[in-house]
Amino acid sequence: MIQVRKAGERGHFDHGWLDTQHTFSFGDYSDPAHMGFRSLRVINDDRVAPGQGFGMHGHRDMEIVTYVLDGALQHKDSLGNGSIIRAGELQRMTAGTGVRHSEFNPSDTEWVHLYQIWLLPERTGLKPSYEELAVGEEEKQGRFRPVASPDGAAGSLTIHQDARLYLASLLPGQAVAHPIEPGRAAWLQVLRGSVNVLGNDLSSRDGVAVTDENAISVQAAVPSEILLFDLA
């Protein structure tokens, strides 16, 4: 079964310094029909103005993965971590028993475009931790490159949930496929470009939930980048 989530149907708020779109219910956006998908709880598509950002705030019992598409993001947290995450790089934060962090755009001129993803953890009360990953364009060209997994496979981030995340960049006409094991499901997010997923045409920032299928196949119409979730 295929359920398409068009970009324009998501929750949208323009705060001036932050232009954000929520695939699932989050903050002031509440939609009982879109509360998450399996262990995937949040997909926020954020654009943050130069010199602006999210001040220090806390989280508990959540696996948080952030991917920067354009620009840069300055991270600081109560674990003592501090760094700048640039385009093509990801961070993973296990909030566990509690962590505080801030995320700012350090540029004076450029907006930063990022996706922030929350997954429910396998259990509550985990020890907070933090990790970063840089993915070169050649690593994801024409294939699904693992970027997060429960076992840190292939140099991916380690998340505390039975979920695997993959990035792929596709040239026009290029196709990739991923098997879906019985009982599992997939979510695909189009980060940029235009693709066809199992007969459905999707544009930049669209998403699709795939259940009761044995594989997901994706073909690009234009240069595209996609993010795939393989979920228990």
Side-chain angles (χ1 to χ4, degrees):
M1 183 170 66
I2 311 298
Q3 292 180 298
V4 175
R5 180 72 158 143
K6 300 295 290 184
E9 298 171 351
R10 301 176 298 176
H12 178 225
F13 298 90
D14 187 348
H15 302 288
W17 67 273
L18 169 67
D19 190 315
T20 181
Q21 299 190 62
H22 308 315
T23 295
F24 306 118
S25 294
F26 183 87
D28 292 332
Y29 172 61
S30 179
D31 182 349
H34 296 94
M35 295 299 296
F37 181 68
R38 302 281 178 120
S39 60
L40 180 57
R41 179 60 188 84
V42 167
I43 302 179
N44 287 350
D45 180 356
D46 294 340
R47 295 179 186 269
V48 182
Q52 300 293 321
F54 307 91
M56 193 65 71
H57 61 284
H59 295 288
R60 296 178 65 91
D61 294 323
M62 197 66 68
E63 298 292 291
I64 301 173
V65 177
T66 302
Y67 179 45
V68 177
L69 277 78
D70 299 294
L73 193 68
Q74 185 173 30
H75 169 87
K76 293 182 180 179
D77 64 42
S78 56
L79 303 177
N81 299 296
S83 61
I84 295 180
I85 313 300
R86 304 187 186 280
E89 299 180 350
L90 304 97
Q91 61 173 217
R92 184 271 303 165
M93 188 169 62
T94 294
T97 54
V99 65
R100 293 177 60 79
H101 75 124
S102 65
E103 310 289 342
F104 274 89
N105 181 354
S107 174
D108 294 328
T109 58
E110 296 182 354
W111 286 66
V112 58
H113 182 199
L114 62 105
Y115 270 77
Q116 187 171 96
I117 296 147
W118 293 9
L119 295 116
L120 300 171
E122 61 189 7
R123 64 183 186 277
T124 60
L126 293 167
K127 181 181 178 181
S129 60
Y130 178 81
E131 192 179 9
E132 297 177 5
L133 175 66
V135 179
E137 184 64 29
E138 69 284 354
E139 297 179 62
K140 57 185 176 178
Q141 178 56 54
R143 71 184 190 96
F144 281 120
R145 199 286 193 194
V147 294
S149 64
D151 54 4
S156 61
L157 300 169
T158 301
I159 53 175
H160 301 86
Q161 177 54 262
D162 186 3
R164 295 179 185 271
L165 282 62
Y166 303 84
L167 283 172
S169 292
L170 302 175
L171 299 173
Q174 200 166 29
V176 289
H178 178 79
I180 303 173
E181 297 298 325
R184 299 184 69 86
W187 180 281
L188 186 127
Q189 190 72 28
V190 183
L191 303 179
R192 39 187 149 218
S194 178
V195 301
N196 184 278
V197 179
L198 298 173
N200 295 268
D201 291 326
L202 302 179
S203 300
S204 177
R205 306 166 92 174
D206 290 347
V208 60
V210 180
T211 54
D212 299 321
E213 300 283 345
N214 59 19
I216 179 171
S217 58
V218 186
Q219 184 172 34
V222 299
S224 303
E225 184 175 10
I226 54 178
L227 174 61
L228 175 67
F229 299 82
D230 184 320
L231 305 162

